[in-house]
């Protein structure tokens, strides 16, 4: 056992917290320990991953000896995508470590040296990122050992080295943002950067398949000469170091561990002062609003509906972290704009389905914030006004933002295909309204700080949200396909009618399973 107060003792505590988090630890005071069902799910997933890796490596015919240039290129692309996801994990974990756990001020006031606290927290971030990706990738190493392909054991040093580098860079970036932007803006900016880095591969793939595809293909062809032998990115370039390490080459594997360890040590050694300064800023980040000039002025001329709309939107606007979490869904709308702007009829049906589904997802998130996470539900129930008016005003506050987002690309489409734009707008509006009502029926009262984990413990609401969004997305696809490609043939009409019946059944089931107020 490590001595109490030592760095190893503190690191063991951090790792225990991480394991209890991913294994679904109970939070009540009656029962303690991990959730056995969650452990069973992880074990089943591990077995499935090992089976999948075994089948993939059995079918792969890889040459023995030195890896070919094509194999290096493929593995390097996979490692680049993996590094972006590690950066996303590192940024989100760094924000949590600095601002959300709220235990660093206590640790820094303890007899434990502040340098040890920073080193342990950085090591915990590295271990978190490393464990998650080793879980999904090391089955290939184990299957490779069983099949005699020992080169895949290089996945271990490659992942560990990349995790050390990505976590160090993420912490450096977070501390730099704290120094330049302040704590409040850093929380939002770091989360957006984490989402961008995690979604970079998806956005690039969508852009490659969109109207920008030919331009990107020409750009890639111009870069190909750089990968020739003797060029800047040839076979002897340091850029292939992660791929060579992952393919089991001994010297690159040792270099990956060495580079990762060196970056980690330099980060812990040289940025300790920035860390302490960032924690001090986070501890004193609470702001007191300035009094308005001329004193307080009360305006009672607004109607009830307008007052509730302004109240809900203002509460959301005052929480930049919540805006960042909800706004991440809008990021995936970016690739959808290209087919609409260039008027591709073949892609219009798929775009219509995706737009309806995203409107439903955004509406469900806002509905959870506005209705389920209401700060003063008892006060609203005791208000001398109609409860139906309050509910309708809250639904309007939820549905209007997704419709406004959908109108941005649909206004452009309306200039070319007004009928298709009207049909897509109708399905997006109804999907947003239906999703909001499903959440209002099935969700449970909660706190706004629980937005990230809102789907845990409420399987009925989650399934109802997914089925509702998928149903309206399918209907939007059918309508757009019938208007632009196939026409109103019998299969299109029958498919739309059956889809409407399914949506009615989903809504009726969610209404039947609603949570009745006590």
């Amino acid at each position: 056992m490590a001595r109490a107060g030592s760095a190893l003792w503190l690191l063991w505590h951090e790792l225990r917290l991480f394991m209890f988090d991913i294994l679904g630890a109970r939070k009540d005071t009656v029962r303690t320990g991990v959730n056995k069902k969650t452990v069973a799910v992880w074990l089943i997933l591990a077995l499935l991953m090992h089976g999948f890796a075994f089948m993939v490596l059995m079918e792969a015919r890889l040459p023995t000896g030195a890896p070919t240039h094509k194999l290096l290129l493929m593995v390097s692309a996979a490692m680049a995508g993996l590094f972006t996801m590690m950066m996303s994990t590192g940024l989100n974990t760094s924000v949590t470590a600095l601002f959300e756990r709220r235990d660093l001020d206590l640790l820094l006031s303890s007899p434990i040296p502040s340098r040890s606290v920073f080193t342990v927290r950085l090591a915990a971030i590295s271990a978190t990122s490393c464990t998650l990706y080793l879980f999904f990738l090391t089955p290939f190493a184990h299957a490779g050992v069983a099949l005699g392909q020992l080169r895949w054991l290089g996945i271990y040093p490659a992942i560990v080295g990349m995790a050390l580098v990505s976590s160090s860079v993420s912490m450096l970036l977070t501390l730099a943002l704290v120094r330049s932007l302040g704590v409040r803006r850093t929380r939002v900016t770091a989360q957006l950067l984490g989402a961008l880095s995690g979604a970079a591969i998806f956005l690039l793939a969508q852009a490659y398949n969109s109207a920008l595809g030919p331009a990107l293909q020409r750009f890639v062809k111009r870069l190909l000469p750089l990968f020739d032998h003797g060029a800047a990115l040839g076979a002897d370039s340091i850029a292939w170091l992660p791929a060579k390490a992952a393919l089991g080459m001994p010297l690159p594997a040792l270099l990956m561990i060495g580079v990762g360890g060196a970056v980690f040590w330099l980060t812990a050694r040289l940025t300790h002062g920035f860390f302490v300064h960032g924690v001090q800023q986070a501890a004193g980040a609470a702001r007191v609003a300035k009094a308005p000039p001329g004193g307080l002025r009360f305006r009672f001329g607004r109607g009830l509906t307008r007052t509730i709309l302004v109240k809900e939107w203002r509460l959301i606007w005052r929480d930049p972290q919540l805006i960042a979490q909800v706004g991440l869904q809008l990021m995936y709308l970016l690739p959808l704009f290209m087919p609409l702007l260039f008027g591709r009829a073949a892609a219009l049906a798929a775009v219509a389905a995706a737009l309806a589904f995203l409107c439903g997802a955004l509406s469900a998130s806002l509905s959870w914030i506005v209705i389920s996470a209401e700060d003063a539900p008892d006060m609203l129930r005791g208000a001398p006004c109609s409860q139906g008016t309050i509910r309708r005003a809250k639904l309007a506050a939820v549905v209007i933002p997704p419709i406004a987002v959908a109108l941005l690309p649909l206004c452009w489409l309306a200039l070319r295909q007004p009928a298709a734009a009207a049909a897509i707008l109708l399905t997006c509006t109804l999907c947003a309204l239906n999703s909001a009502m499903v959440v209002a029926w099935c969700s449970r009262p909660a706190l706004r700080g629980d937005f990230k984990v809102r789907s845990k413990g409420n399987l009925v609401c989650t399934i109802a949200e997914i089925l509702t969004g998928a149903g309206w997305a399918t209907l939007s696809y059918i309508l757009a396909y019938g208007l632009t490609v196939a026409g109103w043939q019998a299969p299109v009409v029958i498919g739309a009618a059956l889809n409407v019946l399914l949506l009615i059944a989903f809504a009726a089931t969610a209404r039947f399973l609603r949570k009745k107020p006590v």
Side-chain angles (χ1 to χ4, degrees):
M1 292 293 293
R3 181 174 54 88
S6 64
L8 289 177
W9 173 81
L10 189 58
L11 179 60
W12 173 245
H13 173 69
E14 294 287 338
L15 295 178
R16 284 184 63 201
L17 289 178
F18 169 67
M19 292 303 297
F20 271 85
D21 186 31
I22 65 173
L23 294 179
R26 300 184 181 95
K27 296 182 179 180
D28 53 55
T29 57
V30 179
R31 297 179 299 172
T32 58
V34 299
N35 192 328
K36 295 181 180 179
K37 293 182 180 179
T38 306
V39 175
V41 170
W42 280 108
L43 291 176
I44 293 173
L45 183 58
L47 292 176
L48 292 176
M49 288 297 302
H50 279 81
F52 174 74
F54 192 82
M55 289 189 297
V56 169
L57 294 185
M58 280 189 64
E59 295 296 330
R61 297 292 184 264
L62 299 178
T64 58
T68 61
H69 193 67
K70 183 179 180 180
L71 180 60
L72 282 176
L73 188 61
M74 294 172 58
V75 176
S76 295
M79 299 298 282
L82 186 64
F83 187 78
T84 61
M85 291 187 286
M86 283 186 172
M87 284 293 299
S88 174
T89 304
L91 284 169
N92 291 326
T93 313
S94 299
V95 170
T96 302
L98 282 177
F99 308 127
E100 296 183 6
R101 283 183 51 179
R102 302 184 184 278
D103 60 348
L104 286 175
D105 52 346
L106 178 63
L107 287 173
L108 292 178
S109 62
S110 67
I112 304 175
S114 57
R115 190 184 302 276
S116 298
V117 174
F118 177 51
T119 304
V120 167
R121 189 55 58 92
L122 185 59
I125 295 173
S126 302
T128 300
S129 179
C130 184
T131 303
L132 290 175
Y133 294 102
L134 282 177
F135 177 83
F136 289 102
L137 292 178
T138 51
F140 290 91
H142 304 157
V145 172
L147 295 173
Q149 302 178 18
L150 300 182
R151 66 168 51 182
W152 295 110
L153 288 174
I155 290 177
Y156 277 98
I159 297 299
V160 171
M162 289 176 61
L164 291 172
V165 173
S166 62
S167 59
S168 301
V169 174
S170 300
M171 179 59 77
L172 289 173
L173 182 57
T174 304
L175 295 175
L177 289 173
V178 170
R179 186 173 186 181
S180 58
L181 300 179
V183 173
R184 291 177 61 85
R185 293 188 180 93
T186 296
R187 297 175 71 177
V188 180
T189 306
Q191 286 183 342
L192 290 176
L193 288 176
L196 278 173
S197 59
I201 303 301
F202 169 79
L203 296 176
L204 183 61
Q206 294 301 315
Y208 196 83
N209 295 326
S210 67
L212 297 178
L216 290 176
Q217 291 176 4
R218 291 193 296 269
F219 178 73
V220 170
K221 288 181 179 180
R222 292 180 181 179
L223 293 180
L224 288 179
L226 297 176
F227 296 93
D228 295 335
H229 292 285
L233 297 177
D236 298 330
S237 174
I238 195 174
W240 306 107
L241 182 63
K244 292 179 179 179
L247 290 173
M249 300 182 70
L251 183 58
L254 292 176
L255 286 176
M256 279 295 297
I257 295 293
V259 170
V263 173
F264 178 88
W265 183 82
L266 290 174
T267 302
R269 183 79 178 177
L270 301 179
T271 60
H272 162 254
F274 295 124
F275 169 73
V276 176
H277 180 65
V279 173
Q280 291 172 348
Q281 285 193 14
R287 297 191 310 175
V288 179
K290 296 181 180 178
L296 292 175
R297 293 187 298 271
F298 300 98
R299 292 177 292 178
F300 297 100
R302 296 172 177 169
L304 177 61
T305 300
R306 185 182 175 190
T307 301
I308 294 177
L309 288 174
V310 173
K311 170 247 183 186
E312 298 297 344
W313 292 340
R314 184 174 291 172
L315 288 176
I316 296 175
W317 181 255
R318 289 175 179 175
D319 194 341
Q321 186 178 7
L322 192 61
I323 294 174
Q325 293 173 359
V326 177
L328 298 182
Q329 301 176 13
L330 302 180
M331 193 178 303
Y332 294 93
L333 282 170
L334 296 178
L336 302 180
F337 292 158
M338 295 304 171
L340 286 175
L341 294 177
F342 289 91
R344 290 188 175 184
L348 184 58
V351 170
L355 193 60
F357 187 84
L358 287 172
C359 284
L362 180 58
S363 177
S365 299
L366 293 177
S367 180
W368 187 91
I369 295 169
V370 171
I371 299 175
S372 301
E374 168 61 49
D375 295 327
D378 296 335
M379 185 179 68
L380 290 179
R381 289 178 188 171
C385 57
S386 172
Q387 295 300 307
T389 304
I390 295 177
R391 286 193 295 268
R392 287 190 292 272
K394 282 180 168 287
L395 286 176
V398 169
V399 174
I400 289 176
I403 296 175
V405 172
L407 281 174
L408 294 176
L410 292 180
C411 287
W412 180 269
L413 179 64
L415 299 177
R416 301 182 177 219
Q417 301 183 37
I424 296 173
L425 179 60
L426 177 63
T427 54
C428 289
T429 303
L430 294 176
C431 182
L433 180 60
N434 195 356
S435 299
M437 295 177 68
V438 165
V439 174
W441 290 333
C442 300
S443 62
R444 301 168 181 170
L447 300 176
R448 296 196 177 201
D450 297 334
F451 179 80
K452 289 183 178 180
V453 294
R454 67 187 183 96
S455 61
K456 292 184 178 180
N458 197 351
L459 185 61
V460 173
C461 186
T462 303
I463 294 176
E465 288 180 36
I466 295 174
L467 291 178
T468 301
W472 283 107
T474 305
L475 182 60
S476 183
Y477 180 92
I478 293 173
L479 293 179
Y481 185 77
L483 287 170
T484 58
V485 180
W488 294 110
Q489 300 178 2
V492 175
V493 176
I494 294 174
L498 292 176
N499 202 89
V500 170
L501 293 177
L502 283 176
L503 287 171
I504 294 174
F506 294 156
T509 304
R511 174 74 176 174
F512 177 76
L513 298 174
R514 69 187 184 278
K515 301 291 182 180
K516 298 181 180 180
V518 181

